Amino acid sequence: MNSYPVSPNTVLANALSHAIDVLTPRVVDSAPERVVFIIGTQINGSPHIGTSLVQSLTFATAVRVRDKFGLPAEAWFSALDNAPYEIVRDNETGHRYQRTYAHALGSHAIGEQIDALYLPLFATLSSRLRVPYSIHTYSQQQAGEHFRQTWLRVLPRMAAARWWLAPSAGVAHLRVTCPHAGCGWAEKHAERTTIRESGADHAKVTAVCIEHGTYEVTLDRSGNGYLDLATLYRNLVKELDLSGSRDTLYAMVKGGDWVFGSQLVDGALQAVGLNPRQIPARLFCPQIVTDTGAKLSKSLIREGRADLPDGAAPWMLDTREWPGTLPDFVERLLGVAEVTLSDPRHFFRSYSAGEIGRMMTAPATRSIPAPCPEPPPLASAN
């Protein structure tokens, strides 16, 4: 059985010869010295097939960009250890509180989890394709001086960005965790979190803890306090943090479900002063969906709120259960990457869990992809 799918044409696919051509305008415009692909991964348990597919596509795309443009390419993986580990509700007030994985487990356990669940795949892909990579946790990122400076600099402009980041209420969720030893709770929706004072060097924030009541935290450039931002808010600051680079093209790699959310991030970036040329490049990878068209969700299935789709297998929810070796798993992932990258019609679309299972377990006879055309000279960017 040939696992190459029959994919319909789309407006975007019709405009491209190869999937990576979507990045060509950004390369030509910025004439970078290198390209860095950035992907965020929530550290909230074992990886599922959607996570592994996007990660393998990141490495495979880096190879193609490196070969086409003659530019060094690498991958940065942001381990989002600020994902909620537990959420509780205060029955008296109705407010919800959360503790992140970072606060519930600690940095040592987070490091062990990354090493056990993600590092083997990254290391194998990197060795196989000769693409360097690095891993950074969100906890490390938020404590960095440049990230803090970026956040402090954007605070006075939040009036322009807040409706992009929170269109329903206009309140971008800023979470500062309770500083009491061993606590780490924060208001999930930041209803009573208030910035009392802010300047170029620090901000003072008050909030309410479910266990310790009202508290104040000073967030400064040296990393004091824990700065936890809701998803869109975090992406705004992260991408602003990268916008000043002149020699590096940063490409944000995301699953297809991010297509809708990224328009809000882009709106917020422009609201605080960026022009479209300064916004990082984006690459949206194929999304894995159920028979109903919904995103394949391991949490809904594990909670019993959804069934494992027809044609799917348990290893799709926990890739450690793949019935084979890690090198075999990587080869199958790269086989799927070759299929999807062989034609824009195959890349810019979604796949059912059953179809991905078929492609992973019945690999196609490898075809020889058409050679990439010569890119336009970078000097034309002037």
Side-chain angles (χ1 to χ4, degrees):
M1 182 183 296
N2 193 312
S3 63
Y4 276 78
V6 177
S7 301
N9 202 4
T10 64
V11 172
L12 178 58
N14 195 49
L16 308 174
S17 297
H18 300 84
I20 66 168
D21 292 344
V22 74
L23 299 175
T24 297
R26 303 304 298 267
V27 175
V28 172
D29 182 60
S30 59
E33 296 179 6
R34 64 171 184 157
V35 181
V36 173
F37 293 89
I38 301 178
I39 178 173
T41 300
Q42 282 201 339
I43 306 302
N44 59 351
S46 57
H48 61 86
I49 183 59
T51 299
S52 297
L53 179 61
V54 172
Q55 291 167 348
S56 61
L57 282 168
T58 300
F59 281 93
T61 301
V63 170
R64 285 160 173 79
V65 168
R66 178 185 67 197
D67 293 346
K68 177 175 181 177
F69 298 104
L71 295 170
E74 59 188 276
W76 287 5
F77 288 88
S78 179
L80 302 177
D81 57 347
N82 64 325
Y85 179 83
E86 54 185 330
I87 299 174
V88 298
R89 183 178 181 273
D90 184 342
N91 292 328
E92 182 176 340
T93 65
H95 293 260
R96 301 174 76 195
Y97 297 82
Q98 72 175 46
R99 294 179 74 203
T100 69
Y101 270 76
H103 292 91
L105 302 183
S107 59
H108 181 72
I110 290 292
E112 290 182 333
Q113 186 165 315
I114 293 172
D115 288 348
L117 299 180
Y118 297 94
L119 188 58
L121 178 63
F122 296 162
T124 305
L125 285 166
S126 177
S127 175
R128 174 74 169 73
L129 299 178
R130 304 190 315 280
V131 173
Y133 73 96
S134 58
I135 301 175
H136 316 269
T137 66
Y138 174 76
S139 293
Q140 294 168 333
Q141 184 182 45
Q142 64 83 31
E145 182 176 4
H146 201 272
F147 188 91
R148 290 291 179 94
Q149 286 179 324
T150 301
W151 176 69
L152 290 168
R153 192 172 68 247
V154 82
L155 279 182
R157 304 182 185 181
M158 283 301 293
R162 65 190 184 98
W163 287 106
W164 287 103
L165 300 178
S168 297
V171 180
H173 296 162
L174 160 67
R175 306 184 189 101
V176 291
T177 54
C178 179
H180 284 76
C183 184
W185 287 107
E187 291 183 295
K188 181 170 180 57
H189 299 298
E191 297 98 334
R192 294 173 292 180
T193 300
T194 305
I195 299 176
R196 290 186 50 252
E197 173 187 319
S198 67
D201 297 322
H202 73 281
K204 291 185 178 181
V205 183
T206 60
V208 179
C209 174
I210 190 172
E211 294 183 356
H212 301 101
T214 302
Y215 60 91
E216 181 177 275
V217 173
T218 297
L219 300 164
D220 59 27
R221 294 188 301 175
S222 65
N224 287 327
Y226 193 93
L227 175 61
D228 186 13
L229 304 173
T231 303
L232 298 181
Y233 196 174
R234 180 185 70 239
N235 276 260
L236 168 69
V237 177
K238 178 179 69 175
E239 295 181 14
L240 278 173
D241 198 28
L242 302 173
S243 64
S245 176
R246 295 184 178 181
D247 60 356
T248 301
L249 174 64
Y250 293 101
M252 316 306 293
V253 184
K254 298 180 179 295
D257 56 314
W258 258 97
V259 170
F260 308 108
S262 288
Q263 63 181 325
L264 294 176
V265 178
D266 290 346
L269 288 168
Q270 294 181 71
V272 299
L274 292 195
N275 63 57
R277 295 177 63 182
Q278 294 174 299
I279 294 174
R282 303 196 187 284
L283 183 69
F284 299 104
C285 295
Q287 184 178 0
I288 301 178
V289 299
T290 67
D291 299 339
T292 68
K295 175 184 174 182
L296 179 68
S297 170
K298 66 178 181 181
S299 59
L300 290 182
I301 294 172
R302 289 174 178 172
E303 292 168 5
R305 298 164 60 191
D307 296 325
L308 191 67
D310 291 341
W315 63 264
M316 292 185 174
L317 303 183
D318 184 345
T319 57
R320 294 175 299 176
E321 297 184 19
W322 169 260
T325 64
L326 176 61
D328 174 61
F329 182 59
V330 168
E331 284 303 310
R332 299 300 181 96
L333 283 173
L334 292 178
V336 174
E338 181 179 310
V339 170
T340 57
L341 286 166
S342 68
D343 190 315
R345 298 186 186 194
H346 299 336
F347 192 86
F348 298 105
R349 55 160 290 185
S350 297
Y351 288 88
S352 70
E355 180 71 356
I356 285 293
R358 184 183 69 83
M359 294 168 69
M360 285 284 291
T361 56
T365 301
R366 298 293 178 87
S367 65
I368 301 176
C372 290
E374 287 295 321
L378 297 184
S380 64
N382 294 325

